[in-house]
Amino acid sequence: MRQWNQFLEPYKQAVDELKVKLKGLRAQYELEEVHTPVEFVTGRVKPLASIYDKTLEKGIPFEPLPELAAELPDIAGLRVMCQFVDDIETVAARLRLRKDLEVVEERNYIAHKKPSGYRSYHMIIKYPVQTIHGERTILAEIQIRTLAMNFWASIEHTLNYKYEGEMPEDIRLRLERAAEAAFRLDEEMSQIRDEIQDAQQYFSAFKESATRSYQEKKRKKR
């Protein structure tokens, strides 16, 4: 187990660092007082049980070796959630420009959805991690998707786990229809994007004004 802990530690470090950096991207947009393409960010290191399942699927040894790292580029995984479909390309473009990572592969499952109905934008990156033994470059996967896409993908993942990949036909068809409904929702939201953003800015300004008013009243009571 010690070998696995040593093998996975740089991945954990990479996830922690990338989460901070991607959340920082959101903060920078907020400081500019413009629409931020990043709604929120999550990250995880693939559990050992999932790594084991992948090694069986790929027919590779279940050992903490460099060969495993090369075969499984998603041991470290980040998800960037966006409000609008157009935001996804904005985030991807920002990542391509960064000097602290290198994009080595991109998969557009939005333009080319999976047969199940799955939609998301995947980027495989190389990311350097500083360790006590020197720099180690690891592979990580960043998935960029809308909130609707993420909701659907979470449900599909849960059902696949329940049925061990052998989903009943009626459930599969319902999921496909749900995927199309989620994408139509994204398209509708994109059509009224300007209205939504105006409303969000108005609401934010109202909250700030109310907060200042409340703080001023508290100050006067002292």
Side-chain angles (χ1 to χ4, degrees):
M1 195 62 194
R2 183 166 177 265
Q3 282 185 313
W4 276 110
N5 288 336
Q6 291 174 332
F7 177 78
L8 292 176
E9 184 56 36
Y11 290 97
K12 295 176 183 177
Q13 183 176 330
V15 167
D16 289 342
E17 292 179 9
L18 286 165
K19 280 170 67 177
V20 170
K21 291 178 178 182
L22 291 170
K23 288 176 181 178
L25 184 65
R26 173 184 172 85
Q28 290 169 40
Y29 275 99
E30 289 177 337
L31 284 173
E32 296 291 328
E33 296 185 347
V34 294
H35 169 71
T36 172
V38 179
E39 186 68 11
F40 63 90
V41 180
T42 63
R44 61 94 185 105
V45 173
K46 191 182 286 293
L48 276 179
S50 297
I51 294 176
Y52 177 69
D53 289 342
K54 280 288 187 179
T55 59
L56 291 179
E57 183 182 315
K58 290 178 173 285
I60 56 178
F62 177 61
E63 296 177 19
L65 299 171
E67 292 81 4
L68 177 69
E71 288 288 338
L72 301 183
D74 63 341
I75 292 176
L78 284 296
R79 284 182 187 154
V80 180
M81 255 52 84
C82 306
Q83 280 194 331
F84 304 103
V85 176
D86 290 347
D87 291 337
I88 293 172
E89 176 53 33
T90 301
V91 173
R94 288 291 177 189
L95 291 175
R96 294 185 198 110
L97 291 172
R98 294 189 72 104
K99 303 299 183 184
D100 55 347
L101 57 85
E102 177 189 355
V103 178
V104 296
E105 185 179 345
E106 299 184 46
R107 297 177 186 174
N108 190 340
Y109 294 120
I110 299 172
H112 308 284
K113 66 177 181 178
K114 289 187 177 183
S116 64
Y118 175 86
R119 286 181 171 92
S120 186
Y121 198 92
H122 292 196
M123 305 180 86
I124 303 298
I125 65 167
K126 285 183 179 178
Y127 182 75
V129 174
Q130 305 303 319
T131 76
I132 60 173
H133 301 295
E135 183 174 280
R136 178 177 169 188
T137 300
I138 67 164
L139 293 173
E141 181 182 67
I142 300 177
Q143 299 176 356
I144 315 168
R145 56 177 67 156
T146 65
L147 298 169
M149 291 174 192
N150 188 61
F151 172 70
W152 183 91
S154 298
I155 298 300
E156 192 242 7
H157 176 78
T158 302
L159 287 171
N160 263 323
Y161 183 81
K162 175 183 177 181
Y163 292 110
E164 298 181 345
E166 299 294 330
M167 202 179 300
E169 183 67 8
D170 63 322
I171 300 296
R172 185 185 65 78
L173 290 174
R174 284 175 180 269
L175 266 180
E176 285 183 24
R177 290 196 293 271
E180 292 310 306
F183 192 63
R184 287 196 299 273
L185 173 64
D186 276 333
E187 289 181 322
E188 289 294 330
M189 293 299 104
S190 294
Q191 292 296 319
I192 58 171
R193 174 178 178 148
D194 290 344
E195 288 292 330
I196 293 171
Q197 289 176 345
D198 284 347
Q200 288 172 336
Q201 288 175 359
Y202 175 82
F203 184 63
S204 293
F206 174 79
K207 283 200 302 182
E208 287 177 12
S209 176
T211 301
R212 285 196 299 270
S213 177
Y214 173 73
Q215 290 173 341
E216 182 64 20
K217 287 178 181 178
K218 281 186 67 178
R219 187 183 65 81
K220 288 180 178 178
K221 286 181 179 179
R222 290 174 182 172

